[in-house]
Amino acid sequence: DLELRGLQVKDQGQEKATKTLVAKFNLVDLAGSERQAATLAEGTRLREASGINKSLSNLGLVIQALVDNANGKHRHVHYRDSKITYLLRDSLGGNSKTTMVCNVSPSEKNFGETLSSLRFAARAKEIRTHAQVNEDYSLMDVKALKAALKAVKLENVKLRAALHKAESQLSSQLSSPPKESGRR
């Protein structure tokens, strides 16, 4: 899990931080063998391989649910069923662009696993996400906004004082009797 941050520092020749772009990069190797007999694993290795295959199976179910959602069927996506799906939830169904690289073997003895990998990648290809740029306002922008807020509050105080003065003048004019003129 790698997080990339870039800061735009220049603004028309003046040094001024304006925004931070945030990106997350996940690189996951989903190596696993569906055929445990072919790996000749025993004991601890067999249990590990079984756990990997269970996680890959859960990942396949999450991908299928996301594909169904993209096609108009509303299904709950079970990200919490395995650690891999929980860690990849933003990459799979969030604000992201996801790319899958599928390595296959030209060997005839690996035909079943190659076909399974290609089907898995074909399902993952159907996921539709809507990525947007992640922007964070920098400290300089926060300081500028605080200064602007302070200026607006000061202007508000001045306007309230002027309004109070105008109201009291109007009130005193309305409460005093009108002056009579010298004509009759």
Side-chain angles (χ1 to χ4, degrees):
D1 194 20
L2 173 69
E3 193 165 303
L4 308 171
R5 291 183 180 266
L7 182 61
Q8 183 180 348
V9 180
K10 296 283 183 179
D11 185 52
Q12 297 178 350
Q14 299 175 3
E15 288 196 346
K16 179 183 176 187
T18 56
K19 62 184 170 183
T20 302
L21 301 177
V22 180
K24 189 184 286 187
F25 181 77
N26 292 315
L27 184 62
V28 180
D29 181 7
L30 299 176
S33 176
E34 291 84 15
R35 295 182 296 141
Q36 293 178 352
T39 64
L40 302 176
E42 296 177 348
T44 305
R45 293 248 185 224
L46 183 61
R47 284 191 298 277
E48 287 175 358
S50 178
I52 290 170
N53 286 342
K54 183 180 177 189
S55 291
L56 289 173
S57 177
N58 285 332
L59 179 60
L61 294 173
V62 165
I63 288 174
Q64 188 60 49
L66 290 168
V67 169
D68 288 347
N69 287 344
N71 292 332
K73 298 178 188 173
H74 297 290
R75 291 183 51 192
H76 176 71
V77 182
H78 297 275
Y79 290 113
R80 293 182 180 229
D81 285 353
S82 75
K83 289 180 184 177
I84 190 77
T85 55
Y86 184 74
L87 292 172
L88 293 177
R89 69 188 179 280
D90 291 336
S91 297
L92 292 170
N95 181 19
S96 65
K97 289 190 177 190
T98 303
T99 301
M100 178 176 277
V101 177
C102 187
N103 294 320
V104 295
S105 172
S107 174
E108 190 175 325
K109 72 176 185 174
N110 295 326
F111 177 77
E113 289 185 18
T114 298
L115 185 61
S116 175
S117 295
L118 290 173
R119 287 181 178 153
F120 186 83
R123 276 188 290 154
K125 184 178 176 182
E126 294 180 32
I127 296 174
R128 298 289 174 249
T129 59
H130 304 285
Q132 297 175 350
V133 176
N134 295 326
E135 295 179 350
D136 288 338
Y137 291 101
S138 69
L139 185 59
M140 296 293 283
D141 288 335
V142 171
K143 287 180 181 178
L145 290 172
K146 284 184 178 180
L149 179 62
K150 187 176 180 180
V152 168
K153 285 182 176 180
L154 182 63
E155 182 183 6
N156 190 13
V157 168
K158 289 179 182 178
L159 289 172
R160 284 182 186 268
L163 179 63
H164 181 69
K165 183 179 177 183
E167 285 177 339
S168 54
Q169 284 178 353
L170 184 61
S171 174
S172 66
Q173 287 177 357
L174 292 175
S175 63
S176 65
K179 295 182 181 178
E180 292 188 26
S181 62
R183 296 186 199 167
R184 284 202 180 213

